[in-house]
Amino acid sequence: MQNIKTKLLHAREVQRACGLSKSTLYRFMRTGLFPEPLKIGPKAIRWRADEIQEWIDSRERAHGDSPKSAMPVPSQGSPSELA
C-alpha cells in the first residue's frame, strides 16, 4: 500500500489559501481558470492541495515576476545626498 501524500481541502480552506470569495472560486472553475474539485460523496467535494498550490504558484506577481526579496536595495548615500 502506498503512503497518502495528497491532502484534500474543503472549499473554505481553498478560499482562505487563494484569497478568493466563494463566487469567484466557482466562476473561475466554470471558465476553466481554476482546478476542478473531486467528488468524494453525494454532496461533498474537495480539492487536491497539490493542485491548489500549483495554481497559486502559477499566478503572476502584481508588479512583475521577480520576488520582492530579489529587488535591489537602494544604495546608502551620505545624508547630504539624500536631501
Side-chain angles (χ1 to χ4, degrees):
M1 182 175 200
Q2 294 180 343
N3 291 337
I4 298 174
K5 295 180 181 181
T6 301
K7 182 178 178 182
L8 298 178
L9 303 175
H10 189 275
R12 286 185 299 266
E13 294 174 293
V14 173
Q15 287 175 249
R16 222 178 345 233
C18 298
L20 299 174
S21 68
K22 186 176 183 178
S23 59
T24 300
L25 179 73
Y26 284 92
R27 185 174 68 249
F28 280 11
M29 284 176 15
R30 273 194 317 276
T31 58
L33 297 174
F34 198 77
E36 291 288 329
L38 304 171
K39 186 169 182 160
I40 62 169
K43 294 184 178 182
I45 59 171
R46 298 292 185 271
W47 283 263
R48 291 175 51 113
D50 58 339
E51 291 179 354
I52 300 306
Q53 187 61 55
E54 286 175 19
W55 182 86
I56 292 169
D57 293 344
S58 74
R59 302 295 92 197
E60 290 184 25
R61 298 205 178 258
H63 299 287
D65 286 330
S66 58
K68 190 174 185 176
S69 61
M71 292 178 66
V73 177
S75 63
Q76 299 294 325
S78 66
S80 61
E81 290 175 2
L82 297 176

